[in-house]
Amino acid sequence: MDLDSIYQNIETEDVKNTGGPQIQSRSQDEGQTQKQRGRTCFVWMTVCLGIICVLLLVFIIVQHISITSERDLLSSYKNTAEEFNQTINSLQHKNTELALKKLKLEYELRKLYEHGKGMFFISSESKNWSESRQYCMDRGGDLVIIKNEVKQRYISSLVKERAWIGLTDIQQEGNMKWVDNSILSQGFWEETEPNDSGGEDCIEINPTSPVLNNWNDESCSSMRKWVCENVTSVPASS
Ligand SMILES: [Ca+2]
Ligand SMILES: [Ca+2]
């Protein structure tokens, strides 16, 4: 073997000895870089998924709040509509009742006007309450008893001056009783009456006051005209 061949072999060996590790190191670096990229990619995917999950959660919560609010609002509207309908029905019912009451009142008032003549007597002279009552009793009747609106309207239409009716609290102050001893259940008092001012125990109708508010308690000794009911004989002089 000559010298050139020996040198060539030495160089080839050197190349073989020095090239192997370099290639191995490069492929290890590439592997690590790929692993690093994989980890980075995984981290980003995880972050993205996390963000998507958070956004989804927020979306679901917002939707839930929105749906709950709308449901509450609808429920509120429904309740309001039901209350409104109930009010309308109630008003219609009351309106019907009032219309029927008015018809009944008109009918009974017309009946009284047609058949009431002769049932009641309005005096032309004046007496105190006891004398007035005695006058009616002497003729089979008594002072008038008024227990409903129809009769109140009718008697008020007959009375032109202040007149006694058959109501008094002379037996017990504040305990109003009719001459048939029944207790007063519905009164047609003037405003602020009865006031028992100075000891007033007998009741009169004041025709100058509104028809459903014209009663006043007055001193029983006052001289007034009077209204009898159910008298059987009416003298021409009174
Ligand atoms: Ca009194
Ligand atoms: Ca009075």
Side-chain angles (χ1 to χ4, degrees):
M1 183 177 290
D2 57 9
L3 281 175
D4 289 338
S5 300
I6 292 167
Y7 285 131
Q8 196 172 1
N9 286 338
I10 291 169
E11 283 175 358
T12 305
E13 284 296 320
D14 287 346
V15 168
K16 279 181 184 176
N17 290 338
T18 56
Q22 283 178 354
I23 290 166
Q24 195 174 0
S25 172
R26 197 181 303 153
S27 78
Q28 280 179 350
D29 289 346
E30 284 176 358
Q32 282 180 352
T33 305
Q34 281 181 349
K35 280 182 183 177
Q36 185 66 32
R37 281 178 185 164
R39 274 200 292 271
T40 307
C41 188
F42 178 76
V43 168
W44 276 111
M45 281 175 70
T46 306
V47 169
C48 287
L49 273 173
I51 291 171
I52 288 169
C53 284
V54 169
L55 286 174
L56 267 174
L57 191 63
V58 170
F59 177 75
I60 288 168
I61 290 170
V62 168
Q63 283 294 101
H64 178 72
I65 291 170
S66 173
I67 288 168
T68 305
S69 304
E70 284 178 8
R71 195 171 54 204
D72 290 347
L73 197 63
L74 276 173
S75 177
S76 170
Y77 284 153
K78 193 180 171 188
N79 289 340
T80 306
E82 282 176 2
E83 283 173 11
F84 187 65
N85 281 337
Q86 283 176 357
T87 306
I88 287 176
N89 288 338
S90 173
L91 283 174
Q92 283 175 339
H93 185 66
K94 282 181 183 170
N95 199 28
T96 306
E97 278 185 346
L98 278 175
L100 285 172
K101 189 181 172 188
K102 189 182 173 191
L103 275 176
K104 189 181 172 190
L105 195 145
E106 286 173 355
Y107 171 74
E108 289 180 2
L109 200 56
R110 192 166 62 240
K111 249 186 9 178
L112 256 184
Y113 275 111
E114 287 172 0
H115 306 292
K117 289 171 186 172
M119 286 173 64
F120 304 99
F121 165 75
I122 315 292
S123 75
S124 56
E125 57 182 321
S126 296
K127 293 180 183 292
N128 65 35
W129 189 85
S130 297
E131 290 170 347
S132 300
R133 187 182 181 198
Q134 192 59 51
Y135 180 96
C136 300
M137 292 173 77
D138 288 346
R139 287 153 184 81
D142 209 330
L143 286 172
V144 68
I145 293 173
I146 303 171
K147 289 190 176 179
N148 57 60
E149 185 181 324
V150 174
K151 200 165 173 181
Q152 166 68 12
R153 287 181 181 278
Y154 180 70
I155 298 299
S156 296
S157 73
L158 302 178
V159 173
K160 306 302 176 196
E161 295 179 51
R162 289 173 179 266
W164 296 124
I165 59 174
L167 184 66
T168 178
D169 67 342
I170 201 165
Q171 288 181 351
Q172 185 185 359
E173 176 55 35
N175 185 20
M176 294 287 171
K177 280 190 173 180
W178 293 106
V179 287
D180 66 354
N181 222 29
S182 60
I183 295 170
L184 173 69
S185 59
Q186 182 184 14
F188 300 97
W189 300 102
E190 288 182 316
E191 198 173 343
T192 73
E193 301 294 347
N195 59 1
D196 196 49
S197 174
E200 298 175 325
D201 296 334
C202 293
I203 313 308
E204 64 174 1
I205 280 184
N206 175 8
T208 60
S209 292
V211 66
L212 294 182
N213 299 96
N214 59 12
W215 293 5
N216 171 48
D217 58 344
E218 177 60 43
S219 167
C220 296
S221 60
S222 297
M223 303 296 279
R224 294 284 187 266
K225 294 185 170 17
W226 67 90
V227 185
C228 294
E229 183 174 13
N230 295 328
V231 289
T232 52
S233 61
V234 179
S237 60
S238 288

